[in-house]
């Protein structure tokens, strides 16, 4: 049996961990079968417990821009670990990473480090509410901003994969302050703003969505949101957990040419260790404790190990900005190759791509929001996913997730991937 050891490890894990995993999408429920267990990874490749090699297209869901176990990051973490892993007392490296991040991202003066994207988004909304003195927020169906209560309302990613976009445990009281709109539907947002005049603190979105597949914002939509927020004294929050330091040095703000009011980070900023962050202009960040009254804290926030990984990763990006063009070219090569095979085989499909994010949808109509993404044929997706897995290609195990390419991928890896697609169909 090809996955014998992984299967045994999964059976053992299920005895002690709910569903055998610590994050639901990993359990393969959306695609059937059982997850592979990873033993190690290097560069573009994962190795499972049964000794198989995989070309990896999720890169730990985004952070690993240069591939697994990238030497400069490893070296920084190992050296730092020898000097202690957490103090709960300030360290110089926090300022070094903050200074570098602020220099790379447009339109931010100060940044606060936390431990995950969930924490970053949760804290950013609290800051937006504290700053504006208003309670309600607008989010978009299919956008995922982590698993804090206010966001588990028509959430994307794992939540929708498991049919629980509105999670039990989120109270009506919390849910009533989260208003829902459809991605790329500016008129819908304007109507919500009008119906709740003077009550909306923030509009939060993934500026390029990656939790309902990869969805690209229309120009009029994203510019319209910016104008609307400015007119109505609403803060525009960009959840750049996936896009930050991945689409460009300055993330989606730079790639789209739009200024957000608060920007949230995760993934790349931690170089593969648990780091999240939120950032804004000084005037907004001044409302955060201990400078201001909006409370937020954490024992492991800014811990030296995570900061050293983040600093090594952002330094690499700062010194090698050509990585973005290289990644975009590789992603375009993959996109065009998959499209060619699927067209030739008569398989209906849509492929969305922005920079190094891409997703394949098995449907005919353009995929521009959650409703159109949900129309994808999941049976075709399952066949595609497992067929690729059996040939050593690891894709996201849900049709609602984006691929994240890393620059360790070679053109020969990409060509091998395209051969696998041809074999599956
Ligand atoms: N749904 C998460 C990515 N969008 C998956 C996270 C994980 O399982 O690690």
């Amino acid at each position: 049996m090809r996955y014998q050891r992984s299967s045994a490890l999964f059976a053992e894990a299920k005895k002690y961990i709910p569903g055998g995993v610590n994050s639901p999408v990993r359990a393969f429920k959306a695609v059937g079968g059982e997850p592979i267990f990873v033993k190690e990874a290097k560069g573009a490749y994962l190795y499972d417990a049964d000794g198989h090699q995989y070309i990896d297209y999720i890169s730990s869901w985004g952070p690993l821009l240069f591939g697994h176990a990238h030497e400069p990051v490893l070296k920084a973490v190992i050296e730092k670990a020898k000097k202690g892993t957490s103090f709960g007392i300030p360290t110089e490296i926090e300022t070094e990473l903050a200074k570098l991040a602020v220099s790379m991202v447009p339109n931010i003066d100060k940044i606060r480090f936390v431990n995950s994207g969930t924490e970053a988004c949760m804290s950013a909304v609290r800051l937006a509410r504290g700053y504006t003195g208003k309670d309600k927020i607008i989010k978009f169906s299919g956008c995922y901003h982590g698993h804090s209560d206010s966001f588990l309302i028509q959430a994307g990613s794992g939540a929708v994969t498991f049919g629980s976009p509105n999670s039990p445990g989120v109270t009506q009281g919390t849910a009533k302050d989260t208003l829902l709109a459809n991605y790329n539907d500016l008129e819908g947002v304007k109507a919500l703003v009008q119906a709740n005049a003077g009550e909306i603190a923030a509009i939060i979105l993934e500026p390029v969505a990656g939790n309902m597949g990869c969805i690209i914002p229309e120009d009029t939509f994203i510019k319209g949101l910016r104008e609307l927020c400015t007119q109505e004294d609403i803060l525009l929050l960009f959840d750049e957990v996936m896009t930050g330091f991945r689409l460009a040095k300055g993330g989606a703000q730079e790639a789209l040419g739009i200024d957000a009011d608060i920007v949230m980070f995760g993934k790349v900023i931690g170089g593969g260790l648990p780091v999240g962050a939120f950032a804004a202009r000084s005037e907004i960040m001044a409302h955060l404790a201990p400078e201001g009254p909006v409370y937020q804290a954490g024992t492991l926030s800014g811990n030296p190990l995570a900061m050293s990984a983040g600093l090594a990763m952002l330094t690499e990006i700062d010194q090698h900005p050509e990585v973005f063009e290289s990644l975009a070219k590789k992603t375009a090569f993959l996109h065009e190759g998959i499209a060619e095979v699927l067209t030739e085989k008569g398989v209906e499909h849509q492929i969305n791509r922005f920079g190094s994010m891409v997703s394949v949808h098995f449907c005919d109509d353009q995929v521009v929001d959650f409703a159109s993404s949900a129309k994808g044929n999941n049976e075709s997706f399952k066949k595609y996913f497992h067929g690729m897995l059996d040939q050593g290609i690891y894709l996201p195990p849900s049709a609602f997730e984006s691929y994240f390419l890393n620059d360790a991928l070679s053109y020969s890896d990409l060509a091998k991937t395209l051969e696998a697609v041809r074999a599956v169909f």
Side-chain angles (χ1 to χ4, degrees):
M1 185 186 155
R2 183 175 160 85
Y3 304 110
Q4 193 167 7
R5 178 81 186 129
S6 279
S7 185
L9 290 172
F10 189 45
E12 186 70 359
K14 280 193 285 191
K15 290 187 200 161
Y16 306 104
I17 300 173
V21 293
N22 284 307
S23 189
V25 172
R26 297 178 198 175
F28 277 23
K29 287 216 163 168
V31 288
E34 293 184 335
I36 57 156
F37 272 57
V38 171
K39 202 162 177 197
E40 58 189 287
K42 181 73 189 162
Y45 309 121
L46 298 169
Y47 299 89
D48 74 8
D50 290 277
H52 306 116
Q53 185 194 70
Y54 301 85
I55 301 173
D56 180 19
Y57 283 98
I58 70 166
S59 308
S60 184
W61 298 104
L64 310 174
L65 215 58
F66 298 95
H68 291 273
H70 187 52
E71 288 301 332
V73 176
L74 277 192
K75 204 167 155 243
V77 172
I78 291 166
E79 286 312 309
K80 208 64 180 173
K82 291 180 191 162
K83 296 179 178 164
T85 54
S86 174
F87 314 116
I89 301 172
T91 55
E92 187 175 350
I93 195 169
E94 295 163 71
T95 311
E96 285 177 59
L97 181 55
K99 194 170 168 183
L100 182 57
V102 165
S103 77
M104 291 166 81
V105 177
N107 193 38
I108 62 168
D109 301 316
K110 288 189 180 171
I111 187 164
R112 167 67 57 87
F113 294 113
V114 291
N115 300 294
S116 66
T118 293
E119 265 188 78
C121 291
M122 175 186 90
S123 309
V125 162
R126 185 180 306 136
L127 177 60
R129 286 176 168 147
Y131 177 79
T132 59
K134 298 185 271 185
D135 287 346
K136 293 184 180 171
I137 59 169
I138 295 179
K139 83 170 277 286
F140 295 89
S141 293
C143 277
Y144 180 72
H145 306 291
H147 58 90
S148 90
D149 287 3
S150 312
F151 302 126
L152 285 181
I153 320 284
Q154 289 298 313
S157 185
V160 71
T161 298
F162 293 100
S164 52
N166 307 304
S167 173
V170 175
T171 64
Q172 289 296 325
T174 298
K176 78 172 179 14
D177 285 331
T178 301
L179 308 176
L180 267 184
N182 292 319
Y183 206 83
N184 278 323
D185 175 14
L186 182 62
E187 291 313 310
V189 180
K190 284 184 177 168
L192 270 181
V193 169
Q194 216 169 35
N196 296 271
E199 292 184 86
I200 297 175
I203 295 178
I204 180 169
L205 79 160
E206 298 174 65
V208 172
N211 284 294
M212 43 182 161
C214 172
I215 310 273
I216 298 153
E218 284 158 16
D219 211 40
T220 48
F221 170 67
I222 200 90
K223 283 191 177 135
L225 287 183
R226 177 62 277 174
E227 279 164 25
L228 183 65
C229 285
T230 306
Q231 273 163 21
E232 302 291 332
D233 284 326
I234 295 170
L235 296 186
L236 182 62
L237 271 51
F238 272 11
D239 176 347
E240 295 230 37
V241 169
M242 286 179 169
T243 56
F245 307 101
R246 172 164 276 281
L247 298 185
K249 255 193 199 189
Q253 285 195 98
E254 180 187 324
L256 301 170
I258 301 285
D259 285 349
D261 296 305
I262 306 181
V263 191
M264 294 79 84
F265 298 104
K267 306 201 188 268
V268 180
I269 200 169
L273 264 74
V275 182
F278 56 106
R281 302 183 300 276
S282 296
E283 150 218 2
I284 297 175
M285 292 304 269
H287 285 251
L288 202 59
E291 221 174 310
V294 177
Y295 197 71
Q296 185 279 323
T299 296
L300 286 167
S301 297
N303 75 80
L305 218 54
M307 295 293 98
S308 67
L311 185 60
M313 178 60 94
L314 294 204
T315 303
E316 282 284 281
I317 294 171
D318 203 35
Q319 291 172 356
H320 302 285
E322 67 280 3
V323 68
F324 297 109
E325 201 186 328
S326 167
L327 277 167
K329 279 190 182 152
K330 289 176 184 176
T331 312
F333 180 87
L334 183 73
H335 172 165
E336 283 154 21
I338 296 177
E340 195 181 306
V341 176
L342 296 183
T343 304
E344 193 186 303
K345 302 279 179 185
V347 179
E348 59 179 35
H349 66 277
Q350 293 288 325
I351 303 183
N352 286 354
R353 165 172 57 93
F354 197 110
S356 54
M357 293 168 65
V358 63
S359 56
V360 179
H361 304 259
F362 294 100
C363 56
D364 244 356
D365 296 335
Q366 270 198 318
V367 176
V368 296
D369 57 11
F370 175 65
S372 46
S373 176
K375 283 188 192 151
N377 181 331
N378 206 43
E379 290 312 307
S380 301
F381 184 83
K382 285 183 188 172
K383 175 180 163 190
Y384 172 58
F385 173 81
H386 279 292
M388 297 296 277
L389 189 74
D390 290 347
Q391 293 179 83
I393 315 291
Y394 194 87
L395 301 177
S398 158
F400 292 113
E401 303 281 358
S402 171
Y403 305 14
F404 298 96
L405 272 68
N406 66 71
D407 206 39
L409 284 161
S410 65
Y411 278 92
S412 115
D413 294 326
L414 297 169
K416 194 171 161 202
T417 306
L418 297 178
E419 278 167 36
V421 179
R422 187 173 292 280
V424 171
F425 291 97

